[in-house]
Amino acid sequence: MGPQTEEQGGGPRGVVGRGMRAAILGLVVNGVLVVVKLMAGILGHSYALVADAIESSTDLFSSLIVWAGLRVTERPADESYPYGYGKAETLAAAVVSLMLFGAAAGIAAAAVHEIATPHHVPAPFTLAVLAAVVVIKEALSRSVLRVGEETGSTAVKADAWHHRSDALTSAAAFVGIAVALWGGEGWESADDWAALVAAGIIAINGGLLLRGAARELMDRMPETPVVDEIGSAARGVAGVLDVETLIVRKVGTAYYVDLHAQADPALPLREAHILSGKVKGAIRAAVPAVAGVLVHMEPFEPDAEPAPPAAARVGLS
């Protein structure tokens, strides 16, 4: 089989382009917020805010990694990578997930150190900074997540959750500083405890994102709605009497499909070939994200034993 077109290998340029623009937006916003939070944390004696700035700095790198991964994904398929470079996008998502773990560990370690070290109560103005950060980062997260959902990009969705973890960190810091200011003497470490809680939230998000990326790298079957749409499209083609095997895997933002379509045993080879082409067309029309379809035509045998579940037929070709 020869290499697919650029559209097949990496998804339409518009899909990748939207993801890259979302990553660049994250770079710009996080660059500004890192400086603002770091200065406010130092001047306002709030380690929770400094920790928040550190977490935001990892957002800078995560957005850069997502952007780079999508650039690689955009490459057209070739002889060496006939399915395209879509897995680079999933690898980027896995790296971002691991970065979340690293950020959580660093923040937790520093927070424990600060809890054991006497220090000043955070300045009241840090609350205003954090409130603004929560609003900005949650808005950014929702915007990027919408792009990730619409394009099917795991890396973009990981980047969106990285932004949301920053909003959660800022919210936790807000609560901690408010408690420290309200409690007064003896409550100075409240914002450090908030940073510790935020580290736990970040680690949990990292685990969830890593699980999703690992599933894609292992070619796990996609969620049921996509598979059902593909199966319905194939069965809806006139001349297809049944679909025996249906295997779908995700490569970047695209899907690749292998299926066994059953037809009249007396159908001439040429007509069977034409029918397989109609099946491919119907599937790609129903699910535009499908980049490639491999159809194996089989004779329909109504009296044969029922075929085993798809999971038991993965080895079939």
Side-chain angles (χ1 to χ4, degrees):
M1 179 181 66
Q4 285 88 18
T5 64
E6 179 177 343
E7 181 175 345
Q8 291 174 315
R13 279 187 177 273
V15 170
V16 177
R18 290 185 64 194
M20 291 173 66
R21 286 193 293 273
I24 292 172
L25 176 63
L27 279 169
V28 173
V29 173
N30 283 318
V32 174
L33 291 180
V34 166
V35 175
V36 171
K37 288 193 285 190
L38 186 60
M39 295 302 296
I42 293 173
L43 297 175
H45 308 292
S46 170
Y47 178 68
L49 197 47
V50 173
D52 205 12
I54 294 171
E55 205 280 328
S56 286
S57 69
T58 66
D59 282 354
L60 280 172
F61 290 105
S62 73
S63 293
L64 187 60
I65 289 170
V66 169
W67 178 82
L70 290 171
R71 279 292 300 270
V72 175
T73 297
E74 199 176 24
R75 295 178 183 175
D78 52 37
E79 293 295 338
S80 298
Y81 294 90
Y83 289 99
Y85 292 79
K87 290 293 185 183
E89 186 257 1
T90 312
L91 284 171
V95 171
V96 170
S97 303
L98 293 174
M99 288 179 65
L100 282 171
F101 280 118
I107 291 172
V112 170
H113 173 75
E114 288 295 315
I115 289 171
T117 304
H119 54 78
H120 297 289
V121 175
F125 77 85
T126 57
L127 287 176
V129 174
L130 285 167
V133 169
V134 170
V135 172
I136 293 171
K137 288 307 298 255
E138 179 61 21
L140 178 62
S141 172
R142 293 190 180 195
S143 174
V144 176
L145 186 61
R146 184 167 56 251
V147 173
E149 294 289 352
E150 291 174 355
T151 61
S153 171
T154 303
V156 173
K157 285 187 279 189
D159 202 25
W161 278 104
H162 208 160
H163 295 316
R164 178 156 289 167
S165 74
D166 198 7
L168 291 171
T169 307
S170 298
F174 183 95
V175 173
I177 292 173
V179 170
L181 291 170
W182 175 76
E185 187 176 352
W187 291 84
E188 294 88 351
S189 63
D191 72 320
D192 304 316
W193 283 101
L196 195 59
V197 171
I201 295 172
I202 294 169
I204 291 172
N205 282 334
L208 293 174
L209 292 171
L210 184 60
R211 182 179 65 176
R215 285 176 173 177
E216 283 192 22
L217 288 172
M218 294 293 290
D219 286 334
R220 186 176 188 268
M221 283 280 281
E223 296 300 322
T224 302
V226 174
V227 178
D228 287 345
E229 286 180 37
I230 293 170
S232 296
R235 292 185 178 90
V237 176
V240 174
L241 303 180
D242 197 8
V243 173
E244 183 201 17
T245 301
L246 176 57
I247 302 173
V248 184
R249 64 192 182 102
K250 193 167 183 282
V251 180
T253 58
Y255 294 98
Y256 285 84
V257 180
D258 294 339
L259 65 85
H260 291 194
Q262 295 186 341
D264 185 347
L267 198 67
L269 178 60
R270 180 176 178 80
E271 291 184 22
H273 173 70
I274 293 173
L275 181 58
S276 71
K278 291 180 179 179
V279 171
K280 294 178 184 179
I283 290 174
R284 297 194 63 178
V287 185
V290 171
V293 183
L294 179 61
V295 180
H296 175 73
M297 298 301 300
E298 291 185 345
F300 177 65
E301 299 174 351
D303 296 330
E305 293 184 8
R313 304 195 301 274
V314 170
L316 294 176
S317 60

